[in-house]
Amino acid sequence: IVYSATTNAVLANILVNGEPESLAISPNGQYAVTANSSGNSATIIDLNTLTVASHVPLSAQWPFEVQITPDGQNAILATAEQVYSVVSLATMRETKVISSPGIGSTSATVTFGKVFNVVFDYTNFVISPDSSTLITVSHQVGQYGIRLLDFDMPPILVQVL
């Protein structure tokens, strides 16, 4: 729902593909991006037209958090499959998947073949001001610390003692 605080009116109802868990706005205000957990996708919304610009399928399941790089080029989505998906806002496609154990997981209670009580356990992340590095904490057993993920290099784990 897009709501005007000035007029107290609903401007638009925009449907996304799945259950949105997180929302981020591009620095230039052109796009909003949602992380859709049950849809295993990201939805890119054009804020100028208040319409869906693209539903982007992701290769990993259960995206739960989205952030947009400060340069506005990419949306980064954390998933419960222990990866970050990188979505280009120019091409509106997933361009990279970065593995990072310890960033999140889901657990579910299954009774009589039906899934109940899906629980997300995840960590937050930040993106450096120059848009080159993702910084997160690692909850991987035996490797607790801060993980630095340069978008062009393998992950580095900095142990916190």
Side-chain angles (χ1 to χ4, degrees):
I1 295 177
V2 181
Y3 174 80
S4 170
T6 305
T7 64
N8 294 325
V10 174
L11 302 176
N13 288 314
I14 303 169
L15 297 177
V16 299
N17 185 21
E19 297 173 26
E21 294 288 334
S22 178
L23 172 79
I25 307 292
S26 63
N28 66 2
Q30 182 178 2
Y31 296 115
V33 180
T34 63
N36 308 320
S37 63
S38 68
N40 300 325
S41 65
T43 298
I44 302 172
I45 299 164
D46 185 322
L47 293 176
N48 295 317
T49 62
L50 300 179
T51 59
V52 172
S54 183
H55 288 293
V56 181
L58 302 177
S59 53
Q61 293 185 348
W62 299 97
F64 56 79
E65 184 178 352
V66 61
Q67 291 190 29
I68 297 178
T69 55
D71 63 11
Q73 299 298 306
N74 296 297
I76 312 298
L77 293 99
T79 75
E81 283 194 5
Q82 312 293 316
V83 301
Y84 291 99
S85 292
V86 180
V87 173
S88 166
L89 293 180
T91 64
M92 298 191 184
R93 294 179 185 251
E94 182 180 57
T95 58
K96 183 183 267 191
V97 175
I98 303 168
S99 177
S100 184
I103 66 164
S105 63
T106 59
S107 62
T109 302
V110 179
T111 306
F112 301 111
K114 295 189 178 190
V115 177
F116 299 96
N117 302 326
V118 175
V119 177
F120 289 99
D121 177 26
Y122 61 88
T123 61
N124 291 323
F125 65 96
V126 295
I127 301 168
S128 64
D130 67 358
S131 299
S132 69
T133 307
L134 183 147
I135 304 152
T136 188
V137 294
S138 173
H139 287 180
Q140 188 175 8
V141 175
Q143 293 187 349
Y144 298 105
I146 297 171
R147 190 167 300 211
L148 306 175
L149 299 159
D150 184 311
F151 291 117
D152 296 319
M153 303 287 290
I156 298 170
L157 180 68
V158 179
Q159 294 291 133
V160 177
L161 304 174

